[in-house]
Amino acid sequence: MAPAQRAFIFDMDGTIVDNMAFHTKSWITFFERRGHALDPDEFFRSTAGRQGHEIMRTYLGAHITKEESAALDAEKESLYRELYAPHRATVTGFDRLIAAAKADGVALAVGTAAPTDNVVFTLDGLDLRRHFDAIVGAADVARGKPNPDVFLLAAERCGAAPEHCIVFEDAPLGVEAARRAGMRAVVLTTTLPAEAFAEYDNVICVARDFSELDVEQLFATAAD
């Protein structure tokens, strides 16, 4: 019997690239223009991984139409790309880890709440798209994290069962989405400390960046 397909599924913002401070800054600026004063840390904890239209409806009202939300999303994301463009880079060790995973036959996927323009901005801007077997973004699923939709679709497109997938995340809502998908998770502390993930029993490893990680050791730990 052939061995089961294994997969790594990467969140994008805050995981492949260390950009969440720029996302948060753009959101804070966006809402300040509309008279909302928000605490950056609390905002991140409660929204990271959710889709833009979900965040808009939470803070601006459920009455917002799909068309209005799309226009607001475009404004906010344009502000984010302007802020982050000069700093765009992968997190330390990412290139080495995915090279090792590919050599080991591990499928690679992206599971992100980002809109299409931001996926293009990041993955194509850094010439990363060629490495992935599947890329799933906000346009591909109806619900953002903590719902498991984005990770389940990524696994399906890779031909991997959830129990053979490891998710890489930087946000609690993303780790919860992995848990609901039946997947183990690796946490990168690019944005929050390890303590923020203490309640999640699907976390198999916490690391500062990808340089601390080993492909076979991760799967061995996930199997325990």
Side-chain angles (χ1 to χ4, degrees), residues 74-207:
E75 177 188 338
K76 181 269 165 187
E77 299 304 343
S78 177
L79 177 59
Y80 152 70
R81 291 191 294 271
E82 180 182 344
L83 290 170
Y84 184 57
H87 309 278
R88 190 168 37 184
T90 56
V91 169
T92 300
F94 177 76
D95 297 333
R96 181 197 60 79
L97 183 71
I98 62 170
K102 291 173 72 172
D104 242 8
V106 178
L108 302 175
V110 173
T112 176
T116 301
D117 285 349
N118 284 3
V119 174
V120 170
F121 170 76
T122 298
L123 299 187
D124 295 330
L126 292 170
D127 192 27
L128 297 177
R129 188 181 294 269
R130 58 194 170 92
H131 296 301
F132 294 102
D133 301 286
I135 297 171
V136 180
D140 300 300
V141 294
R143 304 181 301 174
K145 305 166 188 175
N147 295 293
D149 308 29
V150 68
F151 293 144
L152 289 173
L153 183 55
E156 179 183 331
R157 290 181 176 179
C158 285
E163 62 267 26
H164 298 304
C165 297
I166 295 176
V167 169
F168 296 81
E169 266 287 354
D170 73 307
L173 292 182
V175 174
E176 172 62 14
R179 188 190 67 80
R180 294 184 189 183
M183 301 176 184
R184 302 296 186 130
V186 172
V187 168
L188 295 188
T189 55
T190 51
T191 315
L192 293 174
E195 303 81 67
F197 303 89
E199 68 184 89
Y200 296 100
D201 59 5
N202 62 322
V203 173
I204 59 171
C205 180
V206 178

Side-chain angles (χ1 to χ4, degrees), residues 26-37 56 59-60 64 68 71-73 75-76 79:
S26 64
W27 274 118
I28 297 303
T29 300
F30 172 87
F31 283 120
E32 281 179 347
R33 292 174 178 175
R34 289 159 176 82
H36 293 269
M56 296 294 181
Y59 287 89
L60 299 181
I64 292 177
E68 290 170 334
L72 293 168
D73 283 344
E75 177 188 338
K76 181 269 165 187
L79 177 59

